[in-house]
Amino acid sequence: MFSLLADKLQDVFKDLRGHGKITETNITDAMRAVRMALLEADVEFNVAKGFIARVKEKALGEEVLRGVHPGQQIVKIFHDELTALLGGDNEPLNLEKPARIMMVGLNGAGKTTSSAKLAMWLKKQGKAPLLIACDLHRPAAIEQLATLARQVGVPCFTPPPGEKDVLKVGRLAADWAKEQPGNVQIYDTAGRQEIDEPLIQEIKALREFLQPQEVLLVADAATGQQAVSVATHFHQALNITGLVLTKLDGDARGGAALSMRQVTQRPIKFAGIGEKLDQFEPFFPDRLAGRILGM
Amino acid sequence: IQKFSGKPVDWDELEESLIRADLGVPMMTRIMTALQGREDAEKLTAETVVKVAREEIIKVLPRDSVTLRPLASKTKVILVVGVNGTGKTTSTAKLAYFLQRKGHSVMLAAADTFRAAAIEQLGVWAERLNIDIVKGQYNSDPAALCYEAYQSADRKNVEFLICDTAGRLHTKTNLMGELGKVKRVLAKADAQAPHETLLVVDATTGGNALQQAKEFHAATGLTGVIVTKLDGSGKGGCVVAIQNELGIPTRFIGTGEKMEDLAFFESRQFVEQML
Ligand SMILES: Nc1nc2c(ncn2[C@@H]2O[C@H](COP(=O)(O)OP(=O)(O)OP(=O)(O)O)[C@@H](O)[C@H]2O)c(=O)[nH]1
Ligand SMILES: Nc1nc2c(ncn2[C@@H]2O[C@H](COP(=O)(O)OP(=O)(O)OP(=O)(O)O)[C@@H](O)[C@H]2O)c(=O)[nH]1
Ligand SMILES: [K+]
Ligand SMILES: [Mg+2]
Ligand SMILES: [Mg+2]
């Protein structure tokens, strides 16, 4: 992913490097090209605009223009801004007791799979994760999580058949967890659209009851311009603590990740890189910024 | 349109609306150029700009959507494909309900033998719809399952067989090859089968949707697109690019998680909710 953006930026910067002296016109032209590249990479309209404005402002600063290699300096500004936007270091999970993690997001984003992957990852870190099925909505969602839990080899809470009250399930699960030999609880929730007010209220109530240490917004790397709306709405309702970016094994340009990061100011904590349960890793922003620029 | 009324022509705002709809930069550029190249470009009111932009998009889209008609004396096979999580299984169930309501007989094939509980998921839908379903074992060959389902549907004179397949990213050659095999094996039963291969695209998807369509088209020869999750804030502009560049028409829209949340694709209505 990001390869198209990387290619485009390479071209733009090669052009810019070619100029001994950088003028405002050079920069404006270059930034127009970068803006288009960002939009093509699915960075949200206003996020792209703001990003370009910041890079341009810094690039037009006196030191850059009078410097020896202005082109290279602009590449550096770009890289720094991008890294800053994606977040500096990988941010670990907050596993303070009772160490509850809630997985939330749009329909089909990868919540259930990522819940199981996270359990496997935590298990490898020496933790004792518990999986908790709170999707009472999608056909066979509970069975899906229970199957994955068996594959990972961790206990799984399954709600009473036919139960439709997610708060009640949350309460039962929290009680169940107390009796289990586990120290991290992962709650898988039903997918929902961020503008579906009743469903957003439902998950908000669950969040208020559980008081989780982590609320992770799971998002598909191929998300388009909706990214900002998704992130903003989920964040407003749930005060998310981080993001999980899925399906990075494809060729999606992934600009949505930048947008979500920008509007929530929350770190991308994990990346999903395949359908298998071990295809999951902590997210390293600096590596990604480098990859975008091909550096 | 209200957003624009009463204001002077604001090209930036139009550009923003086009981008926001996930129409993609090339499509956006095309529309902007068409509009700005008009002799009356400077005299256009804000309302007209939107109207004209909509017309430009509608020009790209098909006039009528092709419906699903049964074959005279054989089972019509519909293969449902797409990347992970777009809504294939749900759309399979919705399509079955759609056809059922029109008085047709339908059978389902649970050909996603890979994802955890995928068979159970389609099984729940089959039960709700009171419809026959052919299931196999997990990790068994989806091509063999589709073949078996065809035999069964044909024997029972069922009008439509809808095969749900596993989600796969279009970049995975081996998994795309597996779909090719499903097609080849079905063709052994009926040279024309599958008669329809529908790609399920999530309206939330950005520029990647076009790439998805390209690869699935190359591997399976698509006859149409189902765009799902239009009940969310995603505008689904990606299907315009798919039509424009690949000539693959969008046939159905998904607007929710329930079985009745499926409708024919109507260009005008689609564009009006998009812009
Ligand atoms: N290729 C790939 N597929 C993934 C990844 N993560 C999840 N998936 C697939 O995406 C699809 C949807 O995943 P789920 O975990 O069911 O998504 P969900 O968000 O729980 O879906 P709902 O509960 O219906 O909202 C499945 O086919 C998963 O196998 C990933 O990182 N890469
Ligand atoms: N809001 C909304 N949700 C939808 C729509 N269509 C499907 N979904 C939801 O999207 C999620 C994924 O749907 P599935 O039908 O399981 O998707 P899939 O493509 O079969 O997924 P995989 O088989 O894992 O690749 C589920 O939560 C569905 O309920 C729609 O039109 N609107
Ligand atoms: K919509
Ligand atoms: Mg789920
Ligand atoms: Mg499915």
Side-chain angles (χ1 to χ4, degrees), chain A residues 51-104:
Chain A
F51 187 74
I52 293 301
R54 281 196 303 280
V55 173
K56 195 172 166 184
E57 194 189 303
K58 290 204 174 155
L60 286 175
E62 298 271 327
E63 317 85 81
V64 176
L65 292 185
R66 275 201 246 109
V68 200
H69 299 294
Q72 263 160 31
Q73 259 174 287
I74 292 176
V75 176
K76 187 174 179 308
I77 294 172
F78 202 94
H79 182 268
D80 291 350
E81 281 293 317
L82 202 58
T83 313
L85 187 59
L86 287 165
D89 303 309
N90 174 253
E91 292 205 27
L93 288 173
N94 172 4
L95 296 178
E96 266 167 54
K97 278 191 176 145
R100 293 186 180 141
I101 304 174
M102 227 174 126
M103 309 293 272
V104 302

Side-chain angles (χ1 to χ4, degrees), chain A residues 35-36 39-40 42 44-46 49 106-108 137-140 143-144 147-148 151 191-195 199 220 222-226 229-230 247 249-253 273-275, chain B residues 12 15-16 19-22 25-26 28 84-86 114-117 120-121 124-125 128 167-172 175 202-208 211-212 229 231-234 257:
Chain A
R35 179 172 162 276
M36 281 304 169
L39 290 175
E40 288 197 336
D42 292 326
E44 195 258 359
F45 191 85
N46 280 322
K49 209 161 136 183
L106 294 183
N107 305 86
H137 202 64
R138 165 171 166 173
E143 183 58 34
Q144 184 187 357
T147 305
L148 297 174
Q151 289 171 12
R192 64 202 76 223
Q193 295 298 311
E194 84 281 8
I195 54 173
L199 288 184
D220 189 322
T223 309
Q225 293 286 314
Q226 193 189 0
S229 166
V230 175
K247 308 177 200 176
D249 44 323
D251 61 354
R253 301 170 205 171
I273 49 166
E275 291 191 74
Chain B
D12 286 348
E15 186 192 62
E16 178 172 347
I19 286 291
R20 281 202 185 291
D22 287 312
V25 172
M28 180 270 288
N84 307 85
T86 52
F114 177 75
R115 215 215 54 221
E120 285 81 354
Q121 185 186 359
V124 170
W125 283 114
R128 283 183 192 169
R168 67 200 77 221
L169 291 182
H170 53 289
T171 48
K172 313 229 157 135
L175 296 179
D202 184 332
T204 318
T205 320
N208 197 239
Q211 206 55 39
Q212 294 172 12
K229 310 183 196 175
D231 49 318
S233 66
E257 298 189 69

Side-chain angles (χ1 to χ4, degrees), chain A residues 106-109 111 135 137-139 144 190-193 196 275, chain B residues 82-91 94 112 115 118 121 125 164-168 200 227-232 253-258 261:
Chain A
L106 294 183
N107 305 86
K111 295 172 294 300
D135 179 354
H137 202 64
R138 165 171 166 173
Q144 184 187 357
R192 64 202 76 223
Q193 295 298 311
D196 188 328
E275 291 191 74
Chain B
V83 300
N84 307 85
T86 52
K88 293 172 293 300
T89 306
T90 313
S91 298
K94 288 178 181 178
D112 178 354
R115 215 215 54 221
Q121 185 186 359
W125 283 114
D164 179 29
T165 63
R168 67 200 77 221
V200 180
V227 58
T228 61
K229 310 183 196 175
L230 275 172
D231 49 318
I253 62 167
T255 54
E257 298 189 69
K258 298 189 296 299
D261 297 332

